[in-house]
Amino acid sequence: MSKPTPISGFPEWTTSQRMIEQFVLDRIRHTFELYGFAPLETRSVEPLDQLLRKGETSKEVYLLRRLQADADGPAGDDALGLHFDLTVPFARYVLENAGKLQFPFRRYQIQKVWRGERPQEGRYREFLQADIDIVDRDTLPAHYEAEMPLVIGDALRSLPIPPVLIQVNNRKICEGFYRGIGLTDPEAALRAVDKLDKIGPAKVADLLAETAGASAAQADACLALAGISAPDASFADAVHALGVRDPLLDEGVAELVAVVETAAAHAPGLCVADLRIARGLDYYTGTVYETQLVGYERFGSICSGGRYDNLASAGSVSYPGVGISIGVTRLLGLLFGAEALSISRSVPTCVLVAVAAEEERAASNAVAEALRSRGVPTEVSPSAAKFGKQIRYAERRGIPYVWFPGGDGHQVKDIRSGEQVDASADRWSPPPADLTPVIG
Amino acid sequence: MSKPTPISGFPEWTTSQRMIEQFVLDRIRHTFELYGFAPLETRSVEPLDQLLRKGETSKEVYLLRRLQADADGPAGDDALGLHFDLTVPFARYVLENAGKLQFPFRRYQIQKVWRGERPQEGRYREFLQADIDIVDRDTLPAHYEAEMPLVIGDALRSLPIPPVLIQVNNRKICEGFYRGIGLTDPEAALRAVDKLDKIGPAKVADLLAETAGASAAQADACLALAGISAPDASFADAVHALGVRDPLLDEGVAELVAVVETAAAHAPGLCVADLRIARGLDYYTGTVYETQLVGYERFGSICSGGRYDNLASAGSVSYPGVGISIGVTRLLGLLFGAEALSISRSVPTCVLVAVAAEEERAASNAVAEALRSRGVPTEVSPSAAKFGKQIRYAERRGIPYVWFPGGDGHQVKDIRSGEQVDASADRWSPPPADLTPVIG
């Protein structure tokens, strides 16, 4: 058959990269569990009507069709699509299982998602997300909005990656401010300001006039608000200095002060209030989050989210929540592309047990068994070739040790230094730093 | 909106069950890595022509279609389907990356797969598989066929599940024997014998006559071979006693003796030679494996695989391999259904830090931070309600400890025993057994 080729937008890491990814996922998961988030996986598919509730992404959905759909199945199957994020499935899960869940419900979810987008740098069609959310019934205390940056900060700072900066804003500040200056369509204003990074202030001002009916003074005020940024509560003074008064604005400022101060108490420099952060047209109603990887800002946010009040409701019961999502594939794709992450060997193996002759393979198996029983990743040599060839098998993979069984005594060789010592499979252990591959 | 409902064949575990699943996956992965298998994930989709190479499963494939396919995409996208196993993608991966891989190449792969089958007990449309494979270029030593049961045995015996029995056979035994007794279509004979469990010996004899042209004596011989089963090399004597001589038969017997003896040296009782094991019409050419969970035999094999010589080839180069796959969802579905697996709490949290008053939340956050920094999973109470209500929050989730910060001293209460002691967040640790949920 002809040689297969990659499919654009569906990345595949090497085994070395996959070891790094697993390391990253283990660290993220460990942090999520330290904060008491319980793991959840939802099915990969949702009914199409669920997926389309978040209107803008409808064009990105992959629908499923059975190759040989038969009479009993097509109607149901044709209405299924692959989820494009983990928030919509989670909202559905909460509604479906509300009677069995304990609220507030804290869960994390690390899964692939799919979008039929045109692939480009940092944009994939299949990618891995790591989400946390907290939902409650009817009301959700604002202090949970201040907890999110702590979790994400700890998770990302546990990784061998550049520092991160979490940028926070609050939708109530924007909406309250826009109303306070007399704009009647705050959503249109938000949409315009959201384009600031892309089109610049002059064009945003034009857009504010066109789509939100803003006067020149109102547009200037919107741009002044979006220009405010501070790593502490001083952003509130800058907002007040704009002289706008509105109850929703005040509420938003107080909430954002709590977010910034809680983060500063936990990790100075982690969080910055940046009032241009808008998170598009999503379902957010309070705090919103974006995260920059320092030195990689041009690639955009690697971790985003916010508070939502209206994502899930059943009859008169609503389930407000707050959540944030790490774009794991996006993050790793950036760092792999920049060759900024490495691993000390291409296999988990720490020891290769040599085989002196094929008839003596059982003795080598016994050595491997003894080492594995004490947690040392061990392979037995593929063949009883000359020892030089067996050592090259280890070298090519970065396996640090080769073990030589012998009738009157065993020896183990560190093939990096060439040092070879007597050893017993029941007692010998590698230095801890050699036990598993080192990632940096 | 109306309450969403489950989709048949797409299981969703509770968070407690998901914690058990993660525990199981961590153990399996740890064992795979102890044997030096490197992790790999392939994309979830393959071109349809790749998926259809294994003809029989074509009816089970889910194809993808973008909801709003446009001019640039439909042709490519319409030809993509979700993978239905991890072997076909792995074979494709090996061909695609052959120039970059080190052979023999040992990889494990733990991923979801999808089949558009009619759902029934133990059969899902979305499920998780955990595979190991070893492939080499041109030739693959038979000793790798003997290694598979060791890995699987260690992986499954590391889990809190009933004992397992790995049943092994070798295709060469069947094919050589059928030829040796004069049957000219050994594949037809294999297909007939494969139905033994379903239709019984009399009907298999009829089928052998109809489809493989077997005489009554030949059919009897086939059934006699299929009746042989032994936990050690004595199965070879039983085969020889049937008086059939064929070079391929002898080769298969020698290989199967090595598999059984290697397994017996590693773990007595783990493996049994059972010459009725046929593994359908798959691509296997040597050893084949099935695995019974003792007490759950009626549900069929939970872990299957075999040696394949012809799955991947490019021009004159072939990539023979051997692999085996644990049906994780199937295994857990069985055990969850039988309520045979439990967990001591429904969240990872070990300590709930109480909040005396909302103004003092920062002090509770500081306690939580100190505990987490030493690896203790900790939540802060959702509200400054009466302590009794805060304790009930912990009780309902099975969180064992509640922490009470105080101006002149902190206390921690084991809410199971009621014991309450003075404690410092910088020093106190729970007993190791309480740190993470206990699974059994």
Side-chain angles (χ1 to χ4, degrees), chain A residues 4-59:
Chain A
T5 51
I7 301 176
S8 178
F10 292 87
E12 284 185 331
W13 307 139
T14 65
T15 50
S16 294
Q17 290 171 328
R18 174 63 185 158
M19 282 195 281
I20 296 171
E21 183 177 61
Q22 282 198 334
F23 175 86
V24 163
L25 293 175
D26 286 346
R27 286 279 176 97
I28 290 174
R29 184 180 137 196
H30 179 68
T31 302
F32 289 173
E33 294 184 352
L34 276 181
Y35 278 82
F37 291 87
L40 180 70
E41 273 203 5
T42 56
R43 63 194 184 215
S44 299
V45 302
E46 296 294 334
L48 185 57
D49 58 350
Q50 282 282 342
L51 294 172
L52 298 188
R53 290 176 61 213
K54 189 177 161 188
E56 273 212 302
T57 50
S58 61
K59 67 178 180 301

Short mmCIF file of all heavy atoms in Angstrom, two decimals, chain A residues 4-59:
data_model
loop_
_atom_site.label_atom_id
_atom_site.label_comp_id
_atom_site.label_asym_id
_atom_site.label_seq_id
_atom_site.Cartn_x
_atom_site.Cartn_y
_atom_site.Cartn_z
N PRO A 4 0.93 6.21 4.11
CA PRO A 4 -0.12 7.12 4.62
C PRO A 4 0.48 8.49 4.95
O PRO A 4 1.69 8.61 5.16
CB PRO A 4 -0.61 6.44 5.90
CG PRO A 4 0.11 5.14 6.00
CD PRO A 4 1.27 5.16 5.06
N THR A 5 -0.36 9.49 5.00
CA THR A 5 0.11 10.85 5.25
C THR A 5 -0.69 11.46 6.40
O THR A 5 -1.79 11.00 6.72
CB THR A 5 -0.09 11.73 4.01
OG1 THR A 5 -1.44 11.59 3.57
CG2 THR A 5 0.85 11.31 2.89
N PRO A 6 -0.13 12.49 7.05
CA PRO A 6 -0.88 13.15 8.13
C PRO A 6 -2.16 13.80 7.61
O PRO A 6 -2.28 14.09 6.42
CB PRO A 6 0.11 14.22 8.62
CG PRO A 6 1.45 13.81 8.12
CD PRO A 6 1.19 13.07 6.84
N ILE A 7 -3.11 14.03 8.52
CA ILE A 7 -4.33 14.75 8.17
C ILE A 7 -4.27 16.10 8.86
O ILE A 7 -4.12 16.17 10.08
CB ILE A 7 -5.59 13.97 8.62
CG1 ILE A 7 -5.62 12.58 7.96
CG2 ILE A 7 -6.85 14.74 8.29
CD1 ILE A 7 -6.77 11.71 8.44
N SER A 8 -4.37 17.15 8.08
CA SER A 8 -4.23 18.50 8.60
C SER A 8 -5.22 18.75 9.75
O SER A 8 -6.41 18.43 9.65
CB SER A 8 -4.49 19.49 7.46
OG SER A 8 -4.42 20.81 7.93
N GLY A 9 -4.73 19.29 10.84
CA GLY A 9 -5.60 19.62 11.97
C GLY A 9 -5.76 18.51 12.99
O GLY A 9 -6.35 18.73 14.04
N PHE A 10 -5.25 17.31 12.67
CA PHE A 10 -5.33 16.17 13.61
C PHE A 10 -3.91 15.79 14.02
O PHE A 10 -3.30 14.91 13.43
CB PHE A 10 -6.03 14.99 12.94
CG PHE A 10 -7.49 15.20 12.68
CD1 PHE A 10 -7.92 15.81 11.51
CD2 PHE A 10 -8.44 14.82 13.62
CE1 PHE A 10 -9.27 16.03 11.27
CE2 PHE A 10 -9.80 15.04 13.38
CZ PHE A 10 -10.22 15.64 12.21
N PRO A 11 -3.37 16.49 15.02
CA PRO A 11 -1.96 16.31 15.36
C PRO A 11 -1.70 14.92 15.98
O PRO A 11 -2.57 14.36 16.63
CB PRO A 11 -1.70 17.40 16.39
CG PRO A 11 -3.03 17.65 17.03
CD PRO A 11 -4.05 17.43 15.94
N GLU A 12 -0.51 14.40 15.74
CA GLU A 12 -0.06 13.18 16.43
C GLU A 12 1.33 13.44 16.97
O GLU A 12 2.25 13.75 16.23
CB GLU A 12 -0.04 12.00 15.46
CG GLU A 12 -1.43 11.47 15.16
CD GLU A 12 -1.45 10.21 14.31
OE1 GLU A 12 -0.54 10.02 13.50
OE2 GLU A 12 -2.40 9.43 14.46
N TRP A 13 1.49 13.30 18.28
CA TRP A 13 2.81 13.48 18.88
C TRP A 13 3.63 12.21 18.72
O TRP A 13 3.08 11.11 18.59
CB TRP A 13 2.68 13.81 20.37
CG TRP A 13 1.79 14.95 20.76
CD1 TRP A 13 0.95 14.96 21.82
CD2 TRP A 13 1.67 16.25 20.14
NE1 TRP A 13 0.31 16.18 21.91
CE2 TRP A 13 0.73 16.98 20.89
CE3 TRP A 13 2.26 16.86 19.04
CZ2 TRP A 13 0.37 18.29 20.57
CZ3 TRP A 13 1.90 18.15 18.71
CH2 TRP A 13 0.98 18.86 19.47
N THR A 14 4.96 12.38 18.80
CA THR A 14 5.84 11.21 18.90
C THR A 14 5.66 10.59 20.29
O THR A 14 5.07 11.21 21.19
CB THR A 14 7.30 11.62 18.74
OG1 THR A 14 7.66 12.47 19.85
CG2 THR A 14 7.53 12.39 17.44
N THR A 15 6.21 9.41 20.50
CA THR A 15 6.12 8.80 21.84
C THR A 15 6.84 9.68 22.87
O THR A 15 6.38 9.78 24.01
CB THR A 15 6.70 7.38 21.84
OG1 THR A 15 7.99 7.39 21.25
CG2 THR A 15 5.80 6.43 21.05
N SER A 16 7.95 10.31 22.48
CA SER A 16 8.63 11.22 23.43
C SER A 16 7.72 12.38 23.79
O SER A 16 7.59 12.75 24.97
CB SER A 16 9.92 11.75 22.82
OG SER A 16 10.85 10.71 22.62
N GLN A 17 7.08 12.97 22.79
CA GLN A 17 6.16 14.08 23.06
C GLN A 17 4.97 13.60 23.87
O GLN A 17 4.47 14.30 24.76
CB GLN A 17 5.69 14.69 21.74
CG GLN A 17 6.79 15.46 21.01
CD GLN A 17 6.39 15.88 19.61
OE1 GLN A 17 5.61 15.20 18.94
NE2 GLN A 17 6.92 17.01 19.15
N ARG A 18 4.50 12.39 23.60
CA ARG A 18 3.38 11.86 24.37
C ARG A 18 3.77 11.64 25.83
O ARG A 18 2.95 11.85 26.73
CB ARG A 18 2.88 10.56 23.73
CG ARG A 18 1.81 9.82 24.51
CD ARG A 18 0.51 10.61 24.66
NE ARG A 18 -0.44 9.90 25.52
CZ ARG A 18 -1.45 10.46 26.17
NH1 ARG A 18 -1.70 11.75 26.03
NH2 ARG A 18 -2.23 9.75 26.93
N MET A 19 5.02 11.23 26.09
CA MET A 19 5.46 11.11 27.49
C MET A 19 5.42 12.47 28.17
O MET A 19 5.04 12.59 29.33
CB MET A 19 6.85 10.48 27.56
CG MET A 19 6.81 8.97 27.37
SD MET A 19 8.34 8.12 27.87
CE MET A 19 9.36 8.44 26.44
N ILE A 20 5.84 13.51 27.44
CA ILE A 20 5.78 14.87 28.01
C ILE A 20 4.32 15.25 28.25
O ILE A 20 3.97 15.79 29.31
CB ILE A 20 6.46 15.87 27.06
CG1 ILE A 20 7.96 15.55 26.95
CG2 ILE A 20 6.24 17.31 27.53
CD1 ILE A 20 8.70 16.34 25.87
N GLU A 21 3.45 14.96 27.29
CA GLU A 21 2.03 15.29 27.46
C GLU A 21 1.44 14.58 28.68
O GLU A 21 0.70 15.19 29.46
CB GLU A 21 1.24 14.92 26.19
CG GLU A 21 -0.23 15.31 26.28
CD GLU A 21 -1.00 15.02 25.00
OE1 GLU A 21 -1.08 13.84 24.58
OE2 GLU A 21 -1.53 15.96 24.41
N GLN A 22 1.79 13.31 28.86
CA GLN A 22 1.26 12.59 30.03
C GLN A 22 1.76 13.20 31.32
O GLN A 22 1.01 13.31 32.30
CB GLN A 22 1.69 11.12 29.96
CG GLN A 22 0.84 10.33 28.98
CD GLN A 22 0.94 8.84 29.21
OE1 GLN A 22 1.94 8.34 29.73
NE2 GLN A 22 -0.08 8.13 28.83
N PHE A 23 3.03 13.60 31.33
CA PHE A 23 3.59 14.27 32.51
C PHE A 23 2.79 15.54 32.81
O PHE A 23 2.40 15.80 33.96
CB PHE A 23 5.07 14.58 32.22
CG PHE A 23 5.76 15.38 33.26
CD1 PHE A 23 6.35 14.75 34.36
CD2 PHE A 23 5.87 16.76 33.16
CE1 PHE A 23 7.02 15.49 35.33
CE2 PHE A 23 6.53 17.51 34.12
CZ PHE A 23 7.10 16.87 35.21
N VAL A 24 2.53 16.32 31.77
CA VAL A 24 1.77 17.56 31.92
C VAL A 24 0.36 17.27 32.43
O VAL A 24 -0.14 17.92 33.36
CB VAL A 24 1.75 18.32 30.57
CG1 VAL A 24 0.66 19.38 30.53
CG2 VAL A 24 3.12 18.94 30.30
N LEU A 25 -0.29 16.26 31.85
CA LEU A 25 -1.66 15.93 32.27
C LEU A 25 -1.68 15.41 33.71
O LEU A 25 -2.60 15.74 34.47
CB LEU A 25 -2.26 14.89 31.33
CG LEU A 25 -2.50 15.37 29.89
CD1 LEU A 25 -2.96 14.22 29.02
CD2 LEU A 25 -3.51 16.51 29.87
N ASP A 26 -0.68 14.64 34.10
CA ASP A 26 -0.63 14.14 35.48
C ASP A 26 -0.49 15.30 36.46
O ASP A 26 -1.14 15.30 37.52
CB ASP A 26 0.56 13.18 35.66
CG ASP A 26 0.32 11.84 35.01
OD1 ASP A 26 -0.83 11.54 34.66
OD2 ASP A 26 1.31 11.08 34.85
N ARG A 27 0.34 16.26 36.11
CA ARG A 27 0.52 17.42 37.01
C ARG A 27 -0.77 18.24 37.10
O ARG A 27 -1.16 18.66 38.19
CB ARG A 27 1.65 18.32 36.47
CG ARG A 27 3.05 17.75 36.67
CD ARG A 27 3.53 18.00 38.10
NE ARG A 27 4.83 17.41 38.35
CZ ARG A 27 5.99 18.07 38.28
NH1 ARG A 27 6.02 19.34 37.95
NH2 ARG A 27 7.14 17.46 38.54
N ILE A 28 -1.40 18.48 35.98
CA ILE A 28 -2.64 19.25 35.96
C ILE A 28 -3.71 18.54 36.80
O ILE A 28 -4.37 19.14 37.66
CB ILE A 28 -3.13 19.47 34.52
CG1 ILE A 28 -2.19 20.44 33.77
CG2 ILE A 28 -4.57 19.99 34.48
CD1 ILE A 28 -2.51 20.59 32.28
N ARG A 29 -3.84 17.25 36.54
CA ARG A 29 -4.83 16.44 37.28
C ARG A 29 -4.54 16.46 38.78
O ARG A 29 -5.46 16.59 39.60
CB ARG A 29 -4.72 15.02 36.71
CG ARG A 29 -5.69 14.05 37.24
CD ARG A 29 -5.42 12.70 36.56
NE ARG A 29 -5.47 11.63 37.52
CZ ARG A 29 -4.98 10.40 37.30
NH1 ARG A 29 -4.41 10.09 36.16
NH2 ARG A 29 -5.09 9.48 38.24
N HIS A 30 -3.27 16.33 39.13
CA HIS A 30 -2.91 16.34 40.55
C HIS A 30 -3.35 17.65 41.21
O HIS A 30 -3.92 17.66 42.30
CB HIS A 30 -1.40 16.14 40.69
CG HIS A 30 -0.91 16.16 42.10
ND1 HIS A 30 -1.23 15.18 43.02
CD2 HIS A 30 -0.14 17.07 42.78
CE1 HIS A 30 -0.68 15.47 44.19
NE2 HIS A 30 -0.02 16.60 44.08
N THR A 31 -3.10 18.77 40.53
CA THR A 31 -3.51 20.06 41.09
C THR A 31 -5.03 20.14 41.20
O THR A 31 -5.55 20.57 42.24
CB THR A 31 -2.99 21.22 40.21
OG1 THR A 31 -1.56 21.13 40.14
CG2 THR A 31 -3.38 22.56 40.80
N PHE A 32 -5.73 19.74 40.16
CA PHE A 32 -7.20 19.78 40.21
C PHE A 32 -7.71 18.97 41.41
O PHE A 32 -8.63 19.39 42.11
CB PHE A 32 -7.80 19.23 38.91
CG PHE A 32 -7.62 20.11 37.70
CD1 PHE A 32 -7.99 19.65 36.43
CD2 PHE A 32 -7.09 21.39 37.79
CE1 PHE A 32 -7.84 20.44 35.30
CE2 PHE A 32 -6.94 22.20 36.67
CZ PHE A 32 -7.31 21.72 35.42
N GLU A 33 -7.10 17.81 41.65
CA GLU A 33 -7.56 16.97 42.76
C GLU A 33 -7.17 17.56 44.10
O GLU A 33 -7.90 17.41 45.09
CB GLU A 33 -7.03 15.54 42.59
CG GLU A 33 -7.66 14.89 41.36
CD GLU A 33 -7.28 13.43 41.13
OE1 GLU A 33 -6.40 12.92 41.85
OE2 GLU A 33 -7.90 12.81 40.23
N LEU A 34 -6.04 18.26 44.17
CA LEU A 34 -5.66 18.94 45.42
C LEU A 34 -6.72 19.97 45.81
O LEU A 34 -6.87 20.27 46.99
CB LEU A 34 -4.31 19.65 45.25
CG LEU A 34 -3.05 18.81 45.47
CD1 LEU A 34 -1.82 19.68 45.28
CD2 LEU A 34 -3.04 18.17 46.86
N TYR A 35 -7.42 20.52 44.83
CA TYR A 35 -8.49 21.49 45.10
C TYR A 35 -9.85 20.81 45.22
O TYR A 35 -10.88 21.47 45.26
CB TYR A 35 -8.52 22.57 44.02
CG TYR A 35 -7.49 23.68 44.23
CD1 TYR A 35 -6.17 23.51 43.83
CD2 TYR A 35 -7.84 24.87 44.86
CE1 TYR A 35 -5.23 24.53 44.02
CE2 TYR A 35 -6.91 25.88 45.06
CZ TYR A 35 -5.61 25.71 44.64
OH TYR A 35 -4.68 26.71 44.85
N GLY A 36 -9.85 19.47 45.24
CA GLY A 36 -11.10 18.75 45.48
C GLY A 36 -12.02 18.61 44.28
O GLY A 36 -13.18 18.25 44.45
N PHE A 37 -11.51 18.89 43.07
CA PHE A 37 -12.35 18.65 41.90
C PHE A 37 -12.39 17.16 41.60
O PHE A 37 -11.34 16.49 41.60
CB PHE A 37 -11.81 19.42 40.67
CG PHE A 37 -11.97 20.91 40.79
CD1 PHE A 37 -11.01 21.68 41.42
CD2 PHE A 37 -13.11 21.53 40.30
CE1 PHE A 37 -11.17 23.05 41.56
CE2 PHE A 37 -13.28 22.90 40.43
CZ PHE A 37 -12.31 23.66 41.06
N ALA A 38 -13.58 16.64 41.36
CA ALA A 38 -13.75 15.21 41.06
C ALA A 38 -13.70 15.02 39.55
O ALA A 38 -14.17 15.87 38.79
CB ALA A 38 -15.08 14.71 41.61
N PRO A 39 -13.14 13.90 39.12
CA PRO A 39 -13.01 13.69 37.67
C PRO A 39 -14.34 13.29 37.02
O PRO A 39 -15.15 12.59 37.62
CB PRO A 39 -12.01 12.55 37.56
CG PRO A 39 -12.19 11.77 38.83
CD PRO A 39 -12.58 12.78 39.89
N LEU A 40 -14.54 13.75 35.81
CA LEU A 40 -15.71 13.36 35.03
C LEU A 40 -15.29 13.21 33.59
O LEU A 40 -14.40 13.93 33.11
CB LEU A 40 -16.80 14.45 35.13
CG LEU A 40 -18.10 14.17 34.36
CD1 LEU A 40 -18.90 13.05 35.02
CD2 LEU A 40 -18.97 15.43 34.29
N GLU A 41 -15.86 12.21 32.92
CA GLU A 41 -15.76 12.16 31.46
C GLU A 41 -17.17 12.05 30.93
O GLU A 41 -17.96 11.22 31.41
CB GLU A 41 -14.95 10.95 30.98
CG GLU A 41 -13.47 11.20 30.91
CD GLU A 41 -12.76 10.27 29.96
OE1 GLU A 41 -13.40 9.46 29.26
OE2 GLU A 41 -11.52 10.34 29.91
N THR A 42 -17.51 12.86 29.97
CA THR A 42 -18.79 12.69 29.29
C THR A 42 -18.53 11.98 27.97
O THR A 42 -17.40 11.95 27.47
CB THR A 42 -19.47 14.05 29.04
OG1 THR A 42 -18.59 14.89 28.29
CG2 THR A 42 -19.81 14.74 30.35
N ARG A 43 -19.59 11.41 27.42
CA ARG A 43 -19.47 10.79 26.09
C ARG A 43 -18.96 11.83 25.09
O ARG A 43 -19.11 13.04 25.32
CB ARG A 43 -20.83 10.24 25.68
CG ARG A 43 -21.84 11.36 25.55
CD ARG A 43 -23.28 10.90 25.48
NE ARG A 43 -24.10 12.07 25.26
CZ ARG A 43 -25.32 12.26 25.76
NH1 ARG A 43 -25.87 11.33 26.50
NH2 ARG A 43 -25.97 13.37 25.49
N SER A 44 -18.41 11.37 23.96
CA SER A 44 -17.85 12.29 22.96
C SER A 44 -18.93 12.93 22.10
O SER A 44 -18.64 13.89 21.38
CB SER A 44 -16.87 11.54 22.05
OG SER A 44 -15.81 11.02 22.80
N VAL A 45 -20.12 12.39 22.14
CA VAL A 45 -21.18 12.89 21.25
C VAL A 45 -22.31 13.53 22.04
O VAL A 45 -22.57 13.17 23.19
CB VAL A 45 -21.76 11.75 20.37
CG1 VAL A 45 -20.66 11.10 19.54
CG2 VAL A 45 -22.48 10.71 21.22
N GLU A 46 -22.95 14.48 21.42
CA GLU A 46 -24.15 15.11 21.97
C GLU A 46 -25.19 15.20 20.86
O GLU A 46 -24.83 15.25 19.68
CB GLU A 46 -23.84 16.53 22.47
CG GLU A 46 -22.87 16.60 23.64
CD GLU A 46 -23.43 15.99 24.93
OE1 GLU A 46 -24.66 15.96 25.10
OE2 GLU A 46 -22.62 15.53 25.75
N PRO A 47 -26.47 15.23 21.24
CA PRO A 47 -27.49 15.47 20.21
C PRO A 47 -27.23 16.84 19.57
O PRO A 47 -26.82 17.79 20.25
CB PRO A 47 -28.80 15.46 21.01
CG PRO A 47 -28.49 14.74 22.28
CD PRO A 47 -27.05 15.02 22.57
N LEU A 48 -27.48 16.90 18.28
CA LEU A 48 -27.18 18.13 17.56
C LEU A 48 -27.85 19.36 18.16
O LEU A 48 -27.26 20.44 18.23
CB LEU A 48 -27.59 17.97 16.09
CG LEU A 48 -27.24 19.11 15.16
CD1 LEU A 48 -25.74 19.39 15.17
CD2 LEU A 48 -27.69 18.81 13.74
N ASP A 49 -29.09 19.19 18.65
CA ASP A 49 -29.80 20.36 19.19
C ASP A 49 -29.09 20.91 20.44
O ASP A 49 -29.12 22.11 20.68
CB ASP A 49 -31.28 20.05 19.46
CG ASP A 49 -31.47 18.90 20.43
OD1 ASP A 49 -30.48 18.21 20.75
OD2 ASP A 49 -32.62 18.67 20.86
N GLN A 50 -28.47 20.03 21.22
CA GLN A 50 -27.67 20.50 22.36
C GLN A 50 -26.46 21.29 21.88
O GLN A 50 -26.12 22.33 22.44
CB GLN A 50 -27.16 19.30 23.18
CG GLN A 50 -28.19 18.65 24.08
CD GLN A 50 -28.40 19.47 25.35
OE1 GLN A 50 -27.58 20.30 25.72
NE2 GLN A 50 -29.52 19.24 26.00
N LEU A 51 -25.80 20.78 20.86
CA LEU A 51 -24.58 21.44 20.37
C LEU A 51 -24.88 22.80 19.77
O LEU A 51 -24.06 23.70 19.83
CB LEU A 51 -23.89 20.55 19.33
CG LEU A 51 -23.33 19.23 19.86
CD1 LEU A 51 -22.85 18.35 18.72
CD2 LEU A 51 -22.18 19.49 20.84
N LEU A 52 -26.07 22.93 19.19
CA LEU A 52 -26.40 24.18 18.49
C LEU A 52 -26.94 25.26 19.41
O LEU A 52 -27.19 26.38 18.98
CB LEU A 52 -27.39 23.91 17.36
CG LEU A 52 -26.85 22.98 16.28
CD1 LEU A 52 -27.81 22.91 15.11
CD2 LEU A 52 -25.48 23.41 15.81
N ARG A 53 -27.10 24.93 20.71
CA ARG A 53 -27.59 25.95 21.63
C ARG A 53 -26.63 27.13 21.70
O ARG A 53 -27.03 28.26 21.93
CB ARG A 53 -27.79 25.36 23.03
CG ARG A 53 -28.97 24.40 23.09
CD ARG A 53 -29.07 23.79 24.46
NE ARG A 53 -29.27 24.82 25.47
CZ ARG A 53 -28.78 24.75 26.70
NH1 ARG A 53 -28.07 23.72 27.07
NH2 ARG A 53 -29.01 25.71 27.56
N LYS A 54 -25.35 26.85 21.53
CA LYS A 54 -24.34 27.91 21.49
C LYS A 54 -24.14 28.24 20.02
O LYS A 54 -23.32 27.64 19.33
CB LYS A 54 -23.06 27.37 22.14
CG LYS A 54 -21.98 28.38 22.39
CD LYS A 54 -20.80 27.69 23.10
CE LYS A 54 -19.52 28.48 22.97
NZ LYS A 54 -18.35 27.74 23.47
N GLY A 55 -24.96 29.16 19.53
CA GLY A 55 -25.17 29.31 18.09
C GLY A 55 -23.95 29.48 17.22
O GLY A 55 -23.84 28.88 16.16
N GLU A 56 -23.00 30.28 17.68
CA GLU A 56 -21.90 30.68 16.82
C GLU A 56 -21.06 29.53 16.29
O GLU A 56 -20.36 29.68 15.29
CB GLU A 56 -20.98 31.60 17.60
CG GLU A 56 -21.40 33.02 17.55
CD GLU A 56 -20.17 33.89 17.60
OE1 GLU A 56 -19.42 33.76 18.58
OE2 GLU A 56 -19.98 34.67 16.66
N THR A 57 -21.02 28.42 17.00
CA THR A 57 -20.08 27.37 16.64
C THR A 57 -20.71 26.31 15.76
O THR A 57 -20.08 25.32 15.44
CB THR A 57 -19.55 26.69 17.91
OG1 THR A 57 -20.66 26.36 18.71
CG2 THR A 57 -18.60 27.59 18.66
N SER A 58 -21.95 26.54 15.35
CA SER A 58 -22.64 25.49 14.61
C SER A 58 -21.86 25.04 13.39
O SER A 58 -21.83 23.88 13.05
CB SER A 58 -24.03 25.97 14.20
OG SER A 58 -23.90 27.09 13.36
N LYS A 59 -21.16 25.97 12.76
CA LYS A 59 -20.46 25.59 11.54
C LYS A 59 -19.27 24.69 11.81
O LYS A 59 -18.71 24.09 10.91
CB LYS A 59 -19.99 26.83 10.79
CG LYS A 59 -18.91 27.64 11.50
CD LYS A 59 -18.49 28.80 10.64
CE LYS A 59 -17.41 29.62 11.32
NZ LYS A 59 -17.81 30.17 12.63
#
